[in-house]
Amino acid sequence: MTRLAEQSRTLFPGLALAVLVAMAAQFLSEHYGAPAMLMAILLGIALQFLSEEPRSAPGIGFASRMLLRIGVALLGVRISVGMVQELGLGLFALIVGGVFATIGASLAFAWATGRDRLFAFLSGGAVAICGASAAMAIASVLPRREGGERDLIFTVVSVTMLSTLAMIAYPILAARLGFDARQTGVFLGGTIHDVAQVVGAGYSVSEETGDIATLVKLIRVTMLAPIVLVAALVMRRRAPQGAARPPLVPGFVLGFLALAALNSMQLLPGWSIEALSAVSRWALLTAIAAVGMKTSLRKLLDVGGRAIALLTAQTVFLALFLGLGVALIG
């Protein structure tokens, strides 16, 4: 008990600061319409000096790692097998195919832009699956390397900004393409990176479009667990002899799958789903605030134009893939 109390005292200052930054980001989001994740990152970067302060550094590090995994695991309460049945096999295959095709194309784009494959996988997964949440989950199973946190923050900032632009532009594009409410919902849910922007874009068109867009987006979120699991297995196999290996199956992936299974069997009451979803969102928001507090703006600018080109190419590829698929399948 004494050890737990001592550890709590060590972690509390930094953890409390990360929570305060997350609360400030949420306030700005609710009152000025700015994406909460983006605000958390920017506020965190402005307070980067706190991660070098001995009293706050341990708690900030804890928030950036453990709260991230807790938040991703709790996303499982929003997933169920019934989602697939509601959408239909053809569109489900299109959505899943878009995820794998985007990640595959990202690795090809990396070669063309001179970026390393780990960055391509990180950014491609963020674009293909669920934006900032996917970026943080994938980063947690990648090997530690110089510039890793910088690449994560760059990816989160970029996909959030691209997602915000898509929220404005894609409904207009869908109308120009002549998509009906169902097709528009599938297109918006299958291409916009972050859940909040999908909801904003979908319901700006119609209630039916918003419902379908949200459903499609959550199906993309289901791909997070298998993608992270495969990545963890590959990284484990490629770990050098004698080096510490990541766990065979990350614990947060097991938690995600377990909660998704319970929700699919309708064993979770409605109030618990709402409560756990709220906890998940706050955990992820606090985690990304902490990651921002560990990131130097000067180092972030070192990522360069080729990384921006890579993320833009990934976003355009996914939009073309889904747009053509929706037009053909209907």
Side-chain angles (χ1 to χ4, degrees), residues 110-134:
W111 176 82
T113 57
R115 295 296 307 186
D116 64 88
R117 288 180 295 175
L118 291 179
F119 179 79
F121 178 56
L122 172 68
S123 56
V127 169
I129 304 171
C130 54
S133 301

Side-chain angles (χ1 to χ4, degrees), residues 5-51:
E6 183 180 345
Q7 188 175 29
S8 299
R9 282 196 299 269
T10 301
L11 296 178
F12 178 78
L15 186 57
L17 286 169
V19 171
L20 285 173
V21 171
M23 292 173 65
Q26 184 63 30
F27 176 86
L28 292 173
S29 176
E30 291 176 355
H31 288 78
Y32 300 101
M37 285 284 187
L38 182 58
M39 291 297 97
I41 293 166
L42 296 178
L43 290 173
I45 291 174
L47 299 171
Q48 186 266 337
F49 65 92
L50 291 172
S51 65

